[in-house]
């Protein structure tokens, strides 16, 4: 079964306003607003993903009686790739506020001055994931290799029952890579889908380096 892709930009919603702002070079100079917009996008994606989760009825006592409410059977585990994923992760955590959390360090190592690079994973902090629903988020899905390596690192803590890959901007190449390499129990959510990648695997038109825009340039 082909992995389902949800391109949220195809719907008319306020998400598209935040997408326009995080892409806009004149707005990007305000790193606080950039981080907040990533957080807002995480909140919107959390709401959309929440529609796919399992619920059960629960009797809730109010000051005036009993209300039968639909509540989550269980919270998902929120996983993010450091460092760019932190504001997006916070948006998910604002909505799934009782969720367990997982953090993975993944970064590119470029070879001298050419365009080739490897992705290194060297840190994982995670609860047990066996059979759980995991939301794995990172602002940019370029080649898809970082996302796949992060998922493979998570398998050290158990095999999730379902994985929701959440990204702000995905390339078409990255989507194809995820569809070819991630398990069938995966759903992909993107704020927008862009067609091109540069030779150094940056998404075009994209938005630039999300980590640098959120937290400052790195050496």
């Amino acid at each position: 079964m082909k992995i389902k892709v949800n391109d949220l930009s195809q719907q008319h919603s306020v998400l598209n306003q935040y997408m326009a702002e995080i892409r806009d070079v004149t707005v990007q100079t305000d790193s606080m607003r950039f981080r907040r917009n990533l957080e807002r996008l995480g909140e919107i994606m959390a709401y959309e993903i929440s529609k796919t989760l399992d619920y059960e009825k629960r009797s809730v006592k109010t000051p005036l009686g009993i209300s039968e409410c639909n509540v989550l059977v269980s919270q998902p585990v929120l996983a993010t790739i450091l460092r760019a994923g932190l504001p997006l992760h916070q948006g998910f955590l604002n909505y799934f506020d009782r969720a367990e959390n997982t953090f993975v360090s993944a970064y590119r190592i470029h070879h001298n001055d050419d365009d080739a690079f490897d992705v290194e994973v060297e840190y994982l902090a995670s609860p047990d994931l066996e059979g759980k629903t995991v939301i794995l988020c990172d602002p940019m899905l370029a080649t898809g290799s970082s996302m796949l390596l992060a998922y493979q690192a998570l398998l050290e803590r158990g095999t999730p029952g379902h994985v929701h890959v959440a990204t702000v901007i995905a390339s078409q190449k990255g989507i194809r890579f995820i569809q070819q390499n991630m398990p069938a129990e995966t759903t992909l959510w993107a704020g927008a889908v862009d067609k091109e990648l540069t030779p150094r695997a940056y998404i075009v038109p994209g938005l630039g380096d999300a980590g640098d825009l959120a937290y400052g340039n790195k050496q």
Side-chain angles (χ1 to χ4, degrees), residues 125-194:
S126 175
D128 174 60
L129 301 176
E130 188 65 34
K132 296 180 180 178
T133 296
V134 173
I135 300 175
L136 177 56
C137 69
D138 192 31
M140 311 298 285
L141 181 69
T143 65
S145 56
S146 295
M147 193 70 77
L148 178 61
L149 286 175
Y151 168 74
Q152 291 172 340
L154 298 185
L155 295 179
E156 296 180 13
R157 301 294 187 269
T159 302
H162 195 94
V163 177
H164 294 275
V165 171
T167 187
V168 173
I169 301 177
S171 75
Q172 291 183 344
K173 181 178 180 179
I175 290 174
R176 289 193 298 269
F177 184 85
I178 292 299
Q179 289 178 323
Q180 293 165 4
N181 293 280
M182 292 282 285
E185 296 78 18
T186 301
T187 306
L188 196 153
W189 303 78
V193 177
D194 289 354

Side-chain angles (χ1 to χ4, degrees), residues 37-131:
N37 281 337
L38 284 180
E39 186 178 343
R40 286 165 166 161
L41 291 167
E43 291 171 344
I44 293 170
M45 289 184 180
Y47 175 71
E48 293 296 331
I49 292 174
S50 76
K51 298 176 185 178
T52 72
L53 303 179
D54 294 328
Y55 291 79
E56 62 186 4
K57 283 198 175 295
R58 183 176 300 170
S59 297
V60 176
K61 184 177 180 180
T62 79
L64 300 176
I66 301 294
S67 176
E68 297 297 323
C69 300
N70 289 317
V71 298
L72 282 170
V73 172
S74 61
Q75 294 264 325
V77 179
L78 306 180
T80 195
I81 301 176
L82 302 174
R83 65 180 167 151
L86 288 172
L88 188 63
H89 179 95
Q90 183 60 51
F92 278 97
L93 190 57
N94 290 346
Y95 275 34
F96 298 114
D97 57 353
R98 297 181 181 178
E100 296 179 297
N101 295 268
T102 292
F103 299 95
V104 183
S105 168
Y107 60 94
R108 296 180 180 185
I109 301 177
H110 285 274
H111 303 299
N112 299 320
D113 294 326
D114 61 22
D115 296 326
F117 64 89
D118 294 320
V119 177
E120 184 77 16
V121 175
E122 64 176 26
Y123 174 81
L124 171 66
S126 175
D128 174 60
L129 301 176
E130 188 65 34

